[in-house]
Amino acid sequence: MQHGKYRFIVGFLVAPLALYAVFVIWPFIQSIYYSFTDWTGLSPDFKMVGFANYERMFQDDVFWKSLQHSVMLVLLLPLVTLGLALFFAFMLNVGGRRRKGTAITGVRGSGFYKIAYFFPQVLSIAIVAILFRFAFNPNDGVINGTLKAVGLGSIQPDWLGDPNFALWCVMAVLVWSTVGFFVVLFSAGMASIPKDFYEAALLDGASRFTTFFKITLPLLWDTVQSGWIYMGILALGAEAFASVQIMTVGPGGPDYSTTVLPLYVYLSAFRDANAAYATTIGVALLVVTLLFAAVVMRLGRRERLEF
C-alpha cells in the first residue's frame, strides 16, 4: 500500500516538477553560465571570459547607484506600504466608534473605502506610471497646478527632473498603486479574528492602540510577513522597473538618480547590447532578492498564534 501511494504521488509530481525545472531552474542556470562569457545577445558566438564581468560590475559606479536605489526601495517601500495598509484595514474593521448593538465596528462607509483603496489594482502599473508622469509634469501637471491654485505658486518643483525628488516620486506612486491590495488582504484577515477578543480587551480598559499591537498584529503576523516578502520582490522586480522605465527621463535619470537593478539589466542588454554583463547584474539581483527574503523570514520568525 505504501509503495503504491508513493508511486501515485510521484506520478502526479513528475510533470509539474519537470515544467518548473525547464522554465524556472534552467533559465537561472543559463544566466549564471552566460555571466562568465562575452555574449552580446545579438550573435550566437561567444567565448568564456571568467570573472571579467564581475570585476567590471564591482568597479561600475552605475551598478552601485542602482544597488543603492534598489536597497532603498526594498527597505522603505514595504515598511510604508504595509504600515499604511495595516492602519487603514484596522480603521475599516475595528477602529470605528461604538454603535448600538455592537462595540466593535469599522468606520462609516468602510465598504466604499475598501473599493476606493483597491481601485489602483484594477489599473496596469504601466497606466498608473503614465498618469503620474503627466501629474508630475512641472508645467501643466495636476500637482503643480494644485499648488498654484492654493497660493503656493512659488513652489513649483521639477519633480521627475530633479535628482533629489525623482526617486521619491516613483516610490510614492508604488505605494499608491499597491497599498489597496494589502488593505483588502489585511481586512479579510481581521474579519476572521473573533470579535470577542476585542470586546474583552475593551472591557478591560484597553485602548484601540493596545488592541492593535496586542491582538490584531500578532494574529496577522504570518500574513504581514508574507506581504513583506511580496512587497520586497515587487520593489526589486517588475513594478519598480516599469515605474522607472515609464516615468523618469532617460529612463533612470536624471544622472542615474532613479536607476534600479532591473532597469540596469534591461539597459545593459538592449541599449548596450551586452547580454553577458546584463546577466551578471541579474545574478547580483538574484542574490539581493534571496538575502532579503532570508532576512525577513529570519527576523520575522516567532511562535505561531492560533484562534
Side-chain angles (χ1 to χ4, degrees):
M1 286 292 291
Q2 292 294 324
H3 181 67
K5 180 181 72 173
Y6 291 131
R7 289 179 58 185
F8 179 78
I9 295 173
V10 170
F12 270 95
L13 290 179
V14 166
L17 287 178
L19 290 173
Y20 184 82
V22 170
F23 293 105
V24 179
I25 302 299
W26 180 242
F28 280 121
I29 297 174
Q30 282 185 309
S31 297
I32 296 172
Y33 171 74
Y34 284 126
S35 70
F36 293 102
T37 70
D38 63 352
W39 184 43
T40 64
L42 302 176
S43 170
D45 300 324
F46 59 86
K47 63 181 180 180
M48 300 298 293
V49 296
F51 289 93
N53 287 320
Y54 290 93
E55 292 175 0
R56 173 186 171 184
M57 183 179 69
F58 288 124
Q59 297 172 3
D60 187 351
D61 292 337
V62 178
F63 166 75
W64 289 110
K65 278 188 176 182
S66 304
L67 178 61
Q68 178 184 351
H69 299 153
S70 291
V71 170
M72 184 184 301
L73 285 178
V74 85
L75 292 178
L76 295 181
L77 195 60
L79 181 65
V80 176
T81 303
L82 298 183
L84 288 174
L86 281 169
F87 171 76
F88 291 145
F90 185 77
M91 294 302 295
L92 293 178
N93 290 273
V94 186
R97 295 182 177 180
R98 292 191 179 189
R99 297 178 192 172
K100 186 176 181 180
T102 179
I104 304 301
T105 184
V107 297
R108 293 185 182 276
S110 58
F112 169 78
Y113 290 131
K114 289 179 183 178
I115 296 173
Y117 290 141
F118 191 77
F119 175 74
Q121 289 292 309
V122 180
L123 303 176
S124 164
I125 186 61
I127 296 175
V128 171
I130 291 173
L131 291 174
F132 274 94
R133 186 179 66 182
F134 288 115
F136 283 121
N137 189 298
N139 299 318
D140 54 3
V142 173
I143 296 176
N144 279 359
T146 303
L147 292 175
K148 187 176 181 180
V150 298
L152 298 175
S154 59
I155 305 175
Q156 297 286 299
D158 185 4
W159 297 101
L160 296 174
D162 190 332
N164 296 318
F165 290 127
L167 188 61
W168 296 105
C169 293
V170 173
M171 192 181 303
V173 172
L174 289 172
V175 171
W176 181 85
S177 65
T178 54
V179 69
F181 171 79
F182 291 101
V183 170
V184 174
L185 180 65
F186 293 152
S187 294
M190 291 180 190
S192 66
I193 298 175
K195 299 297 184 182
D196 296 344
F197 291 2
Y198 292 108
E199 292 176 354
L202 292 176
L203 288 174
D204 290 339
S207 63
R208 301 287 186 183
F209 182 85
T210 303
T211 57
F212 174 78
F213 284 100
K214 296 296 185 180
I215 298 177
T216 305
L217 189 57
L219 294 176
L220 281 180
W221 187 252
D222 288 344
T223 306
V224 173
Q225 187 182 47
S226 300
W228 200 287
I229 295 175
Y230 178 69
M231 275 304 304
I233 293 173
L234 288 183
L236 292 170
E239 298 284 325
F241 165 77
S243 300
V244 174
Q245 166 75 4
I246 295 171
M247 291 178 60
T248 61
V249 295
D255 191 25
Y256 296 104
S257 60
T258 57
T259 305
V260 290
L261 286 177
L263 179 65
Y264 198 34
V265 171
Y266 172 83
L267 295 177
S268 297
F270 297 101
R271 183 194 65 183
D272 304 334
N274 195 340
Y277 187 56
T279 58
T280 305
I281 303 169
V283 172
L285 178 59
L286 172 64
V287 172
V288 172
T289 305
L290 293 176
L291 284 176
F292 169 77
V295 169
V296 172
M297 293 295 291
R298 180 67 183 86
L299 296 179
R301 185 182 301 171
R302 59 186 296 171
E303 183 179 353
R304 184 180 181 89
L305 298 178
E306 297 182 356
F307 54 91

